[in-house]
Amino acid sequence: MRDTLGLLVFTDLDGTLIDHDTYQWDAARPALAALSVARAGVVLASSKTSSEIKALRGDLDLRDWPAIVENGAGLLPAGAAPAKDTNDYAAIRVALEGLPPGLRRHFTGFGDLSPEALRQITGLSREAAELAKDRAYSEPGLWAGTASELARFQSLLQAEGITMREGGRFLTLSFGRNKSDQMAALVQTYRPRYTVALGDAPNDVEMLEAADFGFIVANPKRSPLPKLEGEAEGRIQRTAQAGPLGWNMAILDLLERLDLQKD
Ligand SMILES: [Mg+2]
C-alpha cells in the first residue's frame, strides 16, 4: 500500500501556472521542486485538449499524475496515455448536425474550422491550432445568432444531455462535467491529506471552493473574480503577484504552513 499522499495540487494553466503572455513557467520552478521533494501530487486542470497538455505535462515532469482536460469534460490518465475515447465529442457533433439548419448555421465549432481558420480566430500557431482541434470531450465555438435563437439552441441540445457554458469568447458544449467534478473523483482515488487549488478565472471557482486551500492567482489581464465564500475565513487567498510568480509564492508558503517541506 502506498503512503498517504500529503498534498494534492489542482492547478489551472493559462494565467495561473503559465504566464499569460510569455507562456513561461520558470518562476514556479522552486515550488515545483519543493512539491516533488514533499512527494506531493500535481494535477493540471485546463481548457486545453489532451494533445495540448501532454507535452507540457512532460516538460513539467508531471507524467505520473493525471490531468483534467477540456475544462473538466475529460481526464488524461497518468503515465502513457491510452487511445483517447472520443465518443463524447462524436456525440456532440452528431447532436449539432441534428439541429434545424437555421439554428445550426449560427454555431461555428472548432470542428467546423480548418486549422488555418482556427489560427486566425485564436492567434494560436498553426501547429497549436491542430492540437486544439484534436478534441475528445467538448466542442467550443462561436455563436452568431440572436439571444432567443441561442436559448432554443441550448434547450434542443439540453434534450440530448449536452450542457452549454459561456466563457470568454467561446460557447463550449459538453456533457456537463467541470473541473471540480474531475477533482472530486481524483480526491476519491488518491485520498490526499490536503488539497489545494489554484486558478485565475470563473471556470476555476468551483475547484477553488472545493479545495482545502484555494489561491486566486492575480491576473492583471482580466477583471478580478468576485469575492469567494472561503475568503472571509482565509481558506481562499489571493496572490499579490501574477501567474507563475504568484503560484510559486503561494505553494512555498502553503508547504511551510502545513509543515510539508520534507517527506
Ligand atoms: Mg486561467
Side-chain angles (χ1 to χ4, degrees):
M1 220 184 105
R2 73 171 164 241
D3 295 342
T4 303
L5 180 64
L7 179 68
L8 190 54
V9 179
F10 293 87
T11 182
D12 172 55
L13 291 174
D14 287 339
T16 300
L17 175 56
I18 308 283
D19 184 276
H20 206 277
D21 297 320
T22 66
Y23 220 68
Q24 298 295 307
W25 48 271
D26 288 354
R29 277 182 196 274
L32 286 162
L35 287 168
S36 167
V37 169
R39 296 181 196 239
V42 182
V43 173
L44 307 178
S46 164
S47 59
K48 294 180 187 306
T49 62
S50 297
S51 301
E52 290 177 286
I53 284 193
K54 222 177 289 175
L56 180 65
R57 188 177 68 167
D59 291 346
L60 287 159
D61 209 9
L62 296 172
R63 284 174 215 84
D64 291 344
W65 299 98
I68 296 170
V69 302
E70 299 190 31
N71 261 326
L75 194 75
L76 172 66
K84 247 181 339 198
D85 174 359
T86 56
N87 289 340
D88 277 8
Y89 187 69
I92 293 168
R93 294 294 306 180
V94 166
L96 279 171
E97 298 321 322
L99 293 173
L103 284 177
R104 174 65 183 90
R105 68 188 172 90
H106 295 310
F107 181 79
T108 307
F110 280 22
D112 299 316
L113 294 165
S114 67
E116 177 54 25
L118 186 59
R119 186 191 69 73
Q120 285 177 16
I121 289 172
T122 57
L124 291 169
S125 70
R126 169 73 191 236
E127 196 187 19
E130 275 175 24
L131 297 180
K133 272 176 59 65
D134 187 15
R135 314 197 66 83
Y137 310 101
S138 65
E139 177 69 327
L142 296 166
W143 180 257
T146 65
S148 66
E149 286 166 327
L150 183 60
R152 176 111 195 286
F153 177 82
Q154 182 171 17
S155 83
L156 288 174
L157 289 172
Q158 214 152 41
E160 310 284 328
I162 294 169
T163 306
M164 185 180 95
R165 189 158 175 158
E166 304 191 52
R169 56 200 300 212
F170 297 114
L171 284 180
T172 299
L173 309 177
S174 75
F175 284 94
R177 289 179 301 271
N178 64 32
K179 287 182 178 181
S180 74
D181 298 323
Q182 297 289 353
M183 176 182 171
L186 292 174
V187 167
Q188 282 302 311
T189 304
Y190 289 98
R191 302 197 166 277
R193 200 175 314 151
Y194 301 109
T195 56
V196 57
L198 304 99
D200 71 314
N203 64 2
D204 300 315
V205 166
E206 291 128 333
M207 195 169 75
L208 290 164
E209 283 180 336
D212 296 324
F213 304 94
F215 290 97
I216 300 169
V217 174
N219 184 344
K221 293 282 159 69
R222 60 161 74 236
S223 47
L225 288 178
K227 201 159 178 73
L228 303 187
E229 229 169 86
E231 286 188 80
E233 48 186 276
R235 194 170 53 74
I236 297 179
Q237 295 177 301
R238 290 181 190 244
T239 69
Q241 286 169 300
L245 267 177
W247 199 98
N248 190 60
M249 291 277 286
I251 290 291
L252 291 177
D253 284 353
L254 183 71
L255 287 173
E256 198 178 320
R257 204 177 348 147
L258 299 178
D259 203 19
L260 286 172
Q261 298 101 316
K262 295 187 287 292
D263 191 26

